[in-house]
């Protein structure tokens, strides 16, 4: 038996499984829960943030962690085969930033919101910082949704029409234009996630449309 091939297969299976868990919950938060919270009563929001949201966020963040770790293993296998391509590099960059957004922005800020609602549920006062934390978490979550369509497209396509930044046979540099342009676009979007505003990402329609447009842009960029 080829144990290395089996290992590769199991890691890929785990990457898909954990990724479905992560992105599925990401879409739930943005497309379902957000709309409910906008219409729910204060009492319903407190109940959701003390009972439902903490559990959903646990699956969400550990789904992200395991997706990232299995993806890292796959990248090392790809690196060993010297088969890096622009699509994989750009997709991996977006996926890594999405993972960092979960653990570095969304979860820390959601902990503040959850703690505030727990205080209210216990008869105390809401944390005045909760609104600001909720806004930061929302922007990072919408940014992850924005990244999701192009990331999944580039990660899954890996087509022959997309070239790598290096010639696999000679190691000589190929065209760097697509790689550099793609990384600049990603950096600008991530900078907005940290310091900017939701803008077109405010609505569900806006974030879905923007994500699809970005997927098309990244597909074109990756072929340059």
């Amino acid at each position: 038996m080829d144990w290395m091939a089996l290992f590769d297969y199991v890691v890929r299976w785990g990457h898909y499984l954990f990724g479905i868990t992560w992105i599925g919950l990401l879409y739930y938060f943005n497309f379902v829960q957000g709309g409910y919270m906008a219409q729910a009563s204060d009492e319903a929001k407190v109940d959701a943030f003390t009972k439902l949201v903490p559990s959903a966020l646990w699956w969400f963040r550990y789904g992200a962690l395991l997706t990232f770790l299995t993806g890292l293993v796959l990248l090392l296998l790809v690196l060993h085969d010297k088969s890096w391509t622009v699509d994989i590099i750009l997709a991996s960059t977006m996926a890594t930033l999405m993972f960092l957004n979960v653990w570095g922005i969304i979860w820390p800020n959601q902990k503040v919101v959850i703690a505030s609602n727990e205080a209210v549920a216990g008869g105390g006062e809401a944390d005045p910082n909760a609104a600001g934390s909720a806004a930061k978490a929302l922007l990072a979550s919408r940014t992850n949704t924005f990244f999701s369509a192009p990331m999944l497209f580039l990660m899954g396509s890996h087509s022959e029409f997309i070239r790598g930044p290096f010639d696999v046979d000679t190691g000589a540099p190929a065209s760097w234009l697509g790689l550099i342009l793609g990384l600049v676009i990603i950096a600008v979007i991530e900078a907005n996630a940290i310091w900017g505003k939701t803008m077109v990402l405010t609505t569900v329609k806006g974030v879905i449309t923007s994500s699809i447009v970005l997927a098309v842009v990244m597909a074109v960029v990756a072929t340059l």
Side-chain angles (χ1 to χ4, degrees):
M1 177 180 289
D2 187 340
W3 291 104
M4 191 60 193
L6 177 61
F7 174 75
D8 176 80
Y9 187 89
V10 171
V11 173
R12 289 178 187 275
W13 169 75
H15 189 60
Y16 300 149
L17 181 62
F18 301 136
I20 290 170
T21 303
W22 176 19
I23 301 302
L25 281 166
L26 173 68
Y27 289 167
Y28 159 75
F29 285 131
N30 281 271
F31 303 153
V32 180
Q33 181 177 290
Y36 167 77
M37 292 296 185
Q39 302 178 51
S41 65
D42 291 340
E43 293 77 10
K45 291 178 183 177
V46 170
D47 187 66
F49 271 104
T50 55
K51 298 176 182 178
L52 171 65
V53 175
S55 176
L57 283 171
W58 188 93
W59 288 99
F60 175 67
R61 66 183 187 274
Y62 282 103
L65 175 62
L66 292 172
T67 303
F68 174 75
L69 292 178
T70 51
L72 188 60
V73 173
L74 291 175
L75 282 178
L76 294 175
L77 294 176
V78 170
L79 179 62
H80 177 72
D81 293 336
K82 298 181 180 180
S83 57
W84 283 78
T85 51
V86 172
D87 57 347
I88 292 298
I89 294 173
L90 295 179
S92 299
T93 301
M94 286 185 280
T96 299
L97 290 174
M98 290 169 67
F99 161 72
L100 293 174
N101 286 341
V102 169
W103 283 91
I105 301 177
I106 297 173
W107 175 232
N109 283 288
Q110 285 286 29
K111 283 196 292 185
V112 174
V113 177
I114 291 171
S116 177
N117 280 275
E118 288 176 341
V120 172
E125 296 292 327
D127 186 339
N129 297 314
S133 294
K136 292 177 182 178
L138 174 63
L139 177 55
S141 184
R142 287 296 169 89
T143 300
N144 278 8
T145 307
F146 187 23
F147 275 143
S148 66
M151 181 274 292
L152 291 169
F153 177 81
L154 294 179
M155 191 74 74
S157 63
H158 202 40
S159 175
E160 293 180 359
F161 75 86
I162 298 179
R163 297 179 296 172
F166 299 97
D167 185 287
V168 176
D169 296 323
T170 67
S175 173
W176 286 87
L177 179 59
L179 178 62
I180 294 173
L181 183 56
L183 291 175
V184 168
I185 293 172
I186 292 169
V188 170
I189 294 171
E190 180 60 21
N192 182 72
I194 300 172
W195 299 291
K197 298 180 180 179
T198 52
M199 296 183 290
V200 295
L201 306 181
T202 301
T203 65
V204 170
K205 180 180 179 181
V207 73
I208 292 175
T209 302
S210 300
S211 187
I212 293 173
V213 170
L214 183 60
V216 174
V217 170
M218 283 298 183
V220 173
V221 164
T223 63
L224 297 178

